[in-house]
């Protein structure tokens, strides 16, 4: 199994709060300023420096909101250090603000005494007005709580790129590289990889490559040579200890794509991916559509219903059908999921959760679709549900989804969310040889003379045979109407409906027999308090629990991947703890499932603001539960 | 589809399942016509898939000894698209009704036609919701009294073939459930590469009996049925009358058969196709292949692109997961 | 409040098993034989005779399956008696079989020693073969377990109607009236009402009316005069005691339609009903579309999504939007329900549940959409859910749904099922004066100069104002994106999302403040065992519990109308019982909600066969739980 | 709609909400055109409702000082139908995009046109999914490279106006976001009773910049734009060229302006409308009101039927609940 470049904090480390050797930097600017790019490249250099890290890109719902407006601000936060990093950090230590709006919307999050670096070139009257400043905050002392460093990055950039004779607009586009250069100097980083990247990015326009590199170098040189004053000094963050091996950074959307490809290969199947664009799920469609050589057909359907129906059709025809969307689109797939359950065809349904209800908050993260995944269908319609806890973990979860879908002939729902999809983390490149294949066997033996085809005969695990159209002698018909066991002929009789209902339920519950026992992410069995989570809350919960343990408290962290069915030992495990709290970015959905299944008095800790939990929020909940 | 030579008869294409339509339903005639046509198509049962939605008509696949998928209401085109993309070798038939294809399923109908997926779409138009016991449908004429419109429907119906034309269909034809011309239409639809849209006027004896009698009835068939043949004059009423374009109004008019202005049917002319599909009530009803103009099919374009892009690339999963800038961590993990 | 013609069984009555003064009759024949009509008319005469009754029509999914086939059999069962009747009866005492297929598919259900009346005229070789009989069961003694009476009803009917010169086919159509005539004689009933009904039904074809009346009389005379042999004797069932008042029979679909009309009138609103046909929900659309004079607009949409969206649009415009469907159609409405929750508009969503998953068993009953109703949406999207327990109860539930929707500005889901929709029961005609109106107040006061419109201001119960387009000075925009409290302007900020989420949840929970406490349907608080049910299982549960009580057992019956939110006292009430079992026609859905909410160890008793529970099945579960 | 006389200016129709489209987006031009047109329509803000789906274009209602409903993706026509049926007095505008109206929402688009609900439908066609960051749409030309089609799209696009014609629309027009002719088109759409379908070519500067330049660019506007006017000759290229019907091929051809065969635009001719909508690439693009032939509107027919049926009946709920055969129970309920 893969794992991210994480080691468990020692009590000593965990006690430190915030961990000494970690820094949180936030780049904030106009959507047009290329902050996501800057953040991405800084992330890369951070990874190459061997630090552990976690990032949190936070961009506006609008494609390109008007320049200078507060709702047009795009931010990228990175937390990196020489110790295990599992969240993007509660509070930035450094804020780089490219314009007044960016300062206005982000300064509040900065820790007291933190460092603000501002491009005073952008603090003209017009921009100040747009951001809703009456006076210039760089002048009026209103930022006294923090260390303020300002210089005219715009002008410095223009000077730096003058030789390349770009238009003013284009020249200013290099601002982000100047800023990146300065950041690289601040944290003692190599410029080479970035320079290489710029050369390939602008291969078609060498002068742009040169200009950007010049800006990068100028920003770096500025830090090195110019007297900025004591506040901005070079900090060196040592590399974080990690399992030896080859590493790369990966976002959830990337690892999900890779995992699904791996899953199909392990099953020996071609992939059919039916999708319809929706934020934040689209990225998966985009990644897969570039990888046709891996036997992938991507189909942008007319809507989510057609997307899942086409995937069901493809599974019927012998490929592995996969469909992906976010809350509103998943809602539309409900009826078709029922068809997949009735026809007992393999199917993987990926839900990249976003803020709801309805259109809600498309670009914000949330985990409020668990109810929908586990219970959200008409009829008794059980479907296995698994949830990824981090970008790296999404890889294994995707493989697991493919395994369950094909082994049990069932749709499987894979839950991820906007935070995981966009966030990046270091990932130890998995050795694919370490994964055992689970090749699919298509039934192709015609029945004996005089006997009929039995599409609904079941094996020991209650899975029915997968018969591909094109197989002579096994012609048969399937559909969404209740069936006679074995033959699959239409049958409304009470006995058949009861038997088939029981079989569908038992088959899915049986999945528990092929999944690992629930492990502890931290702490001990029978601890006084268990913090139970699922999905992207892993980071903050884990850090908070480790810190509590560091303080000598008897707390455990249980993080559930298999939401349905749950591992056989989960019940006993939970019953063994003194108390159970369940932090979720919803109003308490996993809590419902746990209380129903195990009758444990699990208490909710909820946050529904479109923002991930902060470590301190979980810590507070732990304190509250223990006191 | 790959050639297939075993000789089959209509019987070979029928299942042992009891047919469950009302006695006298037009669906029986269509089923027979299809079963009689299959042996002439030189295709194999195992490579044939009938995909349907929900409705009386959509029960059809259970009665064909081929692969079959009775899906959900209105979604047959979407399921069929997945089937065909996953295995272009399969010969895909879609069976649907006026409610299934044009009420809940109208959007998928449009998109499968627009994309031009290679398949045959048989739309059983009985101008009513049969299975749910007789509510009016999007093809019901204004004033249709039904359980949901006890005082008569008020909304204007859609013309299926006009909808298909507007949706970009490249093959549009019409047939009648009990008419001997149906097999020919089915063969033409099958011969066409791409989405073949066939509207079949089907009589629902229980909820909409004789709604098409005004042109299907033997007594009026002559005046009321215009069977189109490519390259031949548009004649009807035992070739005594024909259609010509009125150059003043730029609309079609009825003329004597010997009028030199009688139009020779060019199935590629979209403008004329539109006029034929919407011939006024006092004209005959255009039947047979009204429009046909082949274009690249969706699945072939997809397969071709997949092939072209993959060409020369060797899929290497290990390389793929290790893509992008990487770094090596050497030191031992700290002991814990 | 209305109530059905029910009295609580005395222990003595309840002890009797089956109740002495009740008879269960099943009419079974070909779909073409008009059994539903026969049953309906027999029901009417039964009601007029003052018996309490319950019926269970059970017809094939096919419109008109081929004659004589087993899957073409249509049956109608009625249970009537001089005591409270709440189910259609576990086992028929009398089976009237119009052809071999009807005998084949129904004889098995008849109680041992029960009476079979068969039309031997239909037992020719062809029909026997179609039904899968090798020998004629009327001859080969295979029916020995039962009393068999056979005569050639077909021939007797032909003879009876000969004078009217009908064609053979038409003449035979009168068979059902002949049979009805015999049944009327058997149970000492008036023929007049049926004769009147026939006259109006065939007003346009008097000869048909005459022929049918002749057949009716002939059947009656046959019983009276001809020697059939001891088995068929006249039975008189005394009238059942009932609250005094005016009574009629009503099916769930009828009372639902009436209740929705009443609800709109009490709210002072016009009704907009958006529907798309689906079994068994269509009946509601059909009933309402005939009642335009009550200010109703019915709209048959292109699909379920358009139906609910149009209803939402109508509510936005100031009418009460109502939409109705069954499981698969409700699944399609999920996304739009989220929009109604976000825009906080009143809306009533009726789900006439049927067998699932997927297309499932369209004509069979089930209650497996509770999960979907309570949890089946993306995001944190709370919606009040109420469930009707009987045809008569559907009237009050419909009014309650309208009250909650308009008072709290929220969509409300009303659950009923195929059994309730089609079954008939006596209903004491309600006195509408007894219902307190809940008139809607549309906000129409433009804001003060310089102040903005506040579409999301909230009253004490957290409901927002309902503003009708067309109101000058209150122009505003709403939508599915998260909002700023008060103004309703688009707002993705963490604080706003948290506040709005909390408000949506709290508003729906607040509904509990205006609903009655949970009452006991039978038994005492704190009993050793509580049988907790919801929806159409009321009858069998209630009878079973009464019988257990009659046997001196300490059992209570709790039947929940308000599924979400639940009455405030429900938790304490359930915790007070020694044991709690939850019989459901699903795999345990209400059970999940109860365990989650109250942490009580509720145990499921499930049946998923498309058939209602039998009293004995619940009794067995009670015995099991008590032993 | 009831007459309204207060004089308003464009400003009166604008909200205080910050407009959130990309700088340079064609949506700004359409917004201005609509705000400039409203004062001339003699309608009141409080009686005007803008209903939209989801997409960049669908943000439109937030910027109009009227009632507005930003619904869910593809469903605006359905919501608008409920609004109009509930209150026919309201003036309903639907704002939608090529993805919203023709991808997920294609079916509702067809049905609102078929039913002919009185409303104005403005379809912002930028041949791309803007809001979701640039995937190709059902109107994108073959070969469109987008995040979901990195190697070019392969499926054939739909022609919005042809789809509208096939769907039974009674008013079909085209405009261009930045073209001065847009307000006239909007006025005509508003004047038409029934569903007015208006396709607006809208430039997405970020994801599909200049995709319409080949006919919208000033430099080619002359040869490439044919602005239709009812009762006038079909002329273009400063009235130097015109369109005529080739009686041999029965297709349209370009002729000199003085050719007597030049067609006079009759907006009621559906066959010609089909040809105009689908003029080949070497022809100009037909703009303005291409087809108009009023028919009964849906909401008026519904209202009229509701009225007619209710006529003379006095709704009496008490009587209604007591309907059918009833019986009186006299005796006392037994004591318990
Ligand atoms: C999602 C969903 N909505 C509604 C239905 C109910 N339904 C089944 S078939 C049908 C319409 C059938 O009409 P048509 O397609 O014309 O077929 P026909 O029975 O006339 O052959 C409807 C509304 C359903 N099964 N599923
Ligand atoms: C049910 C659902 N599916 C998908 C989406 C994501 N989505 C929002 S807008 C859009 C398409 C927008 O394209 P278009 O209608 O052309 O509008 P434009 O942005 O180009 O103006 C999509 C796919 C959604 N919001 N809801
Ligand atoms: S209802 Fe009509 S369409 Fe359906 S089977 Fe019967 S006759 Fe045929
Ligand atoms: S993405 Fe395109 S359509 Fe959307 S606002 Fe930007 S320019 Fe306009
Ligand atoms: Mg039909
Ligand atoms: Mg677009």
């Amino acid at each position: 199994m893969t794992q991210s470049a994480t080691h468990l904090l020692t009590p000593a480390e965990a006690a430190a709060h915030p961990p000494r050797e970690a820094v949180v930097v936030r780049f904030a600017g106009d959507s047009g300023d290329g902050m996501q790019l800057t953040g991405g490249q800084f992330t890369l250099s951070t990874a190459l420096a061997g630090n552990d890290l976690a990032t949190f890109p936070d961009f506006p719902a609008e494609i390109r909101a008007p320049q200078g407006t507060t709702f047009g601000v795009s931010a990228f936060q990175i937390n990196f250090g020489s110790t295990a990093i599992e969240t993007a950090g509660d509070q930035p230590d450094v804020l780089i603000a490219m314009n007044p709006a960016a300062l206005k919307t982000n300064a509040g999050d900065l820790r007291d005494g933190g460092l603000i670096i501002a491009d005073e070139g952008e603090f003209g009257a017009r921009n100040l007005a747009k951001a809703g400043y009456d006076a210039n905050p760089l002048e009026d002392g209103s930022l006294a709580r923090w260390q303020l460093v300002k210089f005219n990055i715009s002008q410095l950039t223009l000077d730096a790129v003058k030789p390349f004779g770009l238009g003013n607009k284009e020249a200013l586009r290099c601002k982000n590289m100047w800023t990146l250069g300065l950041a690289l100097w601040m944290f003692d980083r190599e410029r080479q990889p970035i320079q290489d990247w710029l050369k390939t990015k602008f291969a078609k326009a060498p002068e742009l490559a040169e200009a950007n590199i010049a800006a990068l170098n100028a920003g770096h040189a500025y830090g090195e040579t110019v007297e900025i004053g004591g506040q901005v000094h070079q900090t060196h963050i040592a590399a974080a200890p990690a399992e030896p091996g080859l590493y790369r950074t990966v976002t959830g959307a990337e690892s999900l794509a890779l995992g699904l490809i791996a899953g199909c290969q392990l099953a020996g199947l071609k992939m059919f991916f039916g999708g319809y664009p929706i934020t934040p799920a689209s990225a998966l469609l985009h990644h897969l559509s570039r990888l046709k050589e891996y036997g992938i057909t991507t189909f942008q359907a007319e809507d989510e219903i057609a997307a899942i129906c086409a995937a069901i059709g493809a599974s019927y025809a012998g490929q592995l059908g996969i469909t992906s969307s976010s809350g509103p689109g998943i809602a539309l797939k409900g009826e078709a999921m029922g068809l997949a359950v009735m026809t007992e065809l393999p199917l993987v349904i990926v839900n990249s959760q976003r803020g709801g209800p309805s259109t809600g908050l498309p670009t914000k993260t949330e985990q409020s679709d668990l109810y929908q995944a586990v219970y959200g269908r008409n009829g008794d319609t059980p479907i296995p549900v698994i949830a990824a806890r981090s970008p790296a973990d999404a890889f294994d979860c995707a493989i697991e989804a493919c395994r369950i879908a094909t082994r049990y002939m069932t749709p499987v729902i894979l839950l991820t969310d906007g935070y995981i999809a966009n966030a990046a983390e270091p990932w130890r490149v998995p050795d694919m040889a370490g994964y055992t294949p689970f090749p699919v066997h298509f039934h192709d033996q015609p029945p004996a003379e005089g006997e009929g085809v039995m599409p609904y005969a079941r094996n020991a695990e209650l899975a029915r045979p997968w018969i591909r159209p094109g197989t002579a002698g096994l012609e048969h018909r399937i559909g969404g109407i209740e069936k006679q066991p074995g033959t699959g002929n239409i049958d409304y009789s009470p006995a058949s409906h009861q038997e088939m209902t029981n079989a569908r339920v038992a088959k899915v519950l049986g999945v528990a027999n092929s999944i690992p026992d629930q492990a502890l992410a931290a702490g001990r069995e029978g601890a006084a308090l268990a913090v139970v989570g699922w999905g992207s809350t892993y980071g903050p919960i884990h850090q908070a629990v480790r810190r509590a343990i560091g303080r000598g408290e008897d707390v455990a962290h249980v993080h559930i991947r298999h939401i349905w069915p749950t591992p056989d030992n989960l019940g006993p495990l939970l019953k063994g703890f003194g108390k159970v709290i369940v932090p979720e970015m919803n109003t308490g959905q996993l809590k419902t499932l746990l209380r129903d299944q195990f009758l444990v008095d699990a208490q909710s800790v909820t946050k529904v603001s479109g923002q991930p939990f902060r470590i301190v929020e979980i810590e507070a909940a732990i304190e509250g539960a223990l006191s | 589809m790959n050639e297939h030579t075993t000789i089959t008869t209509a019987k070979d294409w029928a299942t042992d399942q009891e047919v469950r339509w009302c006695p006298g339903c037009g669906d029986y005639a269509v089923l027979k016509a299809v079963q009689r046509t299959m042996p002439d198509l030189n295709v194999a049962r195992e490579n044939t898939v009938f995909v349907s939605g929900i409705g009386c008509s959509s029960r059809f696949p259970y009665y064909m000894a081929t692969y079959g998928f009775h899906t959900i209401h209105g979604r047959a085109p979407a399921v069929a698209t997945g089937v065909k993309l996953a295995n272009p070798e399969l010969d895909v038939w879609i069976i649907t009704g006026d409610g299934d294809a044009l009420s809940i399923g109208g959007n998928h109908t449009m998109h499968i036609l627009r994309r031009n997926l290679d398949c045959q779409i048989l739309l059983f138009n009985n101008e009513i919701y049969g299975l749910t016991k007789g509510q009016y449908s999007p093809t019901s004429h204004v004033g249709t009294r039904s359980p949901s419109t006890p005082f008569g429907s008020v909304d204007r119906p859609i013309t299926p073939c006009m909808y298909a034309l507007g949706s970009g269909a490249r093959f549009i034809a019409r047939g009648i459930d009990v008419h001997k011309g149906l097999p020919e239409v089915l063969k033409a639809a099958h011969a066409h590469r791409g989405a073949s849209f066939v509207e079949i006027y089907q009589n629902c004896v229980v909820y909409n009996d004789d709604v098409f009698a005004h042109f299907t009835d033997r007594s009026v068939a002559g005046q009321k049925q215009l069977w189109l043949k490519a390259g031949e004059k548009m004649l009807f009423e035992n070739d005594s009358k024909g259609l010509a374009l009125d150059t003043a109004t730029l609309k079609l008019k009825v003329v004597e058969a010997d009028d030199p202005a009688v139009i020779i049917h060019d199935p590629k002319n979209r403008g004329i196709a539109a006029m034929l599909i919407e011939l006024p009530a006092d004209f005959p009803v255009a039947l047979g292949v009204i429009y046909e103009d082949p274009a690249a099919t969706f699945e072939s374009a997809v397969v071709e692109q997949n092939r072209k892009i993959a060409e020369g690339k060797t899929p290497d999963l290990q390389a793929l997961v290790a893509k992008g800038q990487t770094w090596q961590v050497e030191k031992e993990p700290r002991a814990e």
Side-chain angles (χ1 to χ4, degrees), chain B residues 5-303:
Chain B
T5 45
T6 356
I7 309 303
T8 59
T9 69
K11 254 200 231 57
D12 298 318
W13 294 83
T15 60
D16 59 355
Q17 301 291 301
E18 222 146 351
V19 183
R20 300 191 178 190
W21 289 310
C22 304
C25 173
D27 292 352
Y28 285 98
V30 182
L31 177 61
K32 281 272 151 297
V34 172
Q35 289 174 341
R36 263 193 285 103
T37 305
M38 297 309 292
D40 304 345
L41 301 183
N42 185 34
V43 290
R45 278 170 304 194
E46 66 266 26
N47 292 329
T48 304
V49 185
F50 278 82
V51 182
S52 66
I54 300 288
C56 295
S57 35
S58 291
R59 286 294 187 91
F60 197 97
Y62 292 109
Y63 313 134
M64 294 296 299
T66 64
Y67 282 91
F69 201 153
H70 182 220
T71 69
I72 45 180
H73 196 31
R75 318 302 174 185
V79 174
T81 300
V83 170
K84 186 74 176 179
L85 285 175
N87 182 356
E89 291 301 299
L90 298 173
D91 189 13
V92 176
W93 298 74
I94 294 173
I95 305 294
T96 183
D98 44 312
D100 193 57
L102 296 172
S103 194
I104 193 170
N107 199 36
H108 309 302
T109 300
M110 178 261 274
H111 286 280
I112 196 172
L113 293 173
R114 165 180 82 77
R115 294 187 185 110
N116 198 33
L117 187 89
D118 183 25
C119 65
Q120 296 71 244
I121 303 169
L122 309 189
L123 191 158
F124 292 45
N125 183 9
N126 54 13
E127 296 190 356
I128 211 77
Y129 290 171
L131 189 64
T132 48
K133 300 192 155 53
Q135 300 85 0
Y136 84 118
S137 96
T139 58
S140 302
H141 55 77
V142 173
T144 298
R145 287 174 187 273
S146 78
S148 57
T149 53
F151 310 108
S153 60
V154 300
D155 38 333
R156 301 176 37 258
I158 189 91
T159 305
C161 291
M162 191 61 195
Y163 182 65
L165 190 71
S167 298
R170 312 297 298 186
F171 179 102
I172 300 173
R174 279 185 185 143
I176 298 170
D177 51 7
V178 295
H179 194 288
K180 60 176 178 4
L182 186 54
E184 276 319 305
V185 173
L186 296 174
K187 281 178 204 159
H190 187 265
H192 174 82
R193 301 274 279 107
S196 306
F197 181 85
V198 181
E199 176 186 17
I200 300 172
Y201 294 110
Q202 173 248 326
N203 190 45
C204 169
V205 293
V206 174
Y207 297 114
N208 215 13
D209 199 16
D210 285 339
V211 68
F212 303 120
H214 63 278
F215 68 91
T216 56
D217 196 275
R218 280 202 171 34
S219 61
V220 296
Q223 312 95 288
K224 282 309 199 178
Q225 296 181 16
L226 168 65
W227 285 89
L228 296 161
K229 292 195 186 39
E232 296 184 16
K233 289 184 167 186
M234 298 182 182
L235 299 178
F236 61 104
E237 206 150 357
N238 349 351
D239 298 355
S240 67
K241 296 204 174 329
L243 290 187
L245 189 84
D246 180 328
T247 46
T249 63
L250 299 180
K251 295 180 178 171
L252 294 177
K253 63 180 177 187
V254 173
V255 296
E256 292 308 314
D258 50 17
D259 187 322
V262 170
I263 305 172
I264 310 252
H265 182 42
D266 166 16
K268 286 191 160 54
N269 189 319
R270 293 177 60 80
I272 298 301
M275 298 182 189
L276 286 169
I277 289 168
E278 297 188 326
L279 287 173
D282 51 344
F283 280 60
V285 174
L287 297 157
V289 180
I290 299 171
Y291 173 74
E292 178 172 16
D293 187 3
T297 69
F298 183 53
E299 78 287 353
S300 60
V302 169
V303 168

Side-chain angles (χ1 to χ4, degrees), chain A residues 282-344:
Chain A
S282 309
L284 182 55
L285 167 63
H286 301 166
H287 285 302
L288 290 172
S289 58
R290 313 193 137 278
L291 299 168
K292 308 205 178 299
E293 63 270 29
Y294 290 87
I296 301 170
T297 296
T298 55
F299 171 59
Q300 179 176 308
E302 56 268 34
D303 65 11
E304 289 84 355
I305 299 172
I308 185 174
C309 286
I312 290 170
S315 286
Y316 175 64
Q319 298 192 346
L320 182 52
I322 300 175
T323 188
S324 154
S325 188
S326 184
I330 296 293
L332 289 168
K333 298 179 191 284
E335 188 206 2
M337 289 187 208
L339 178 65
V341 168
M342 273 309 239
T343 52
E344 302 191 40

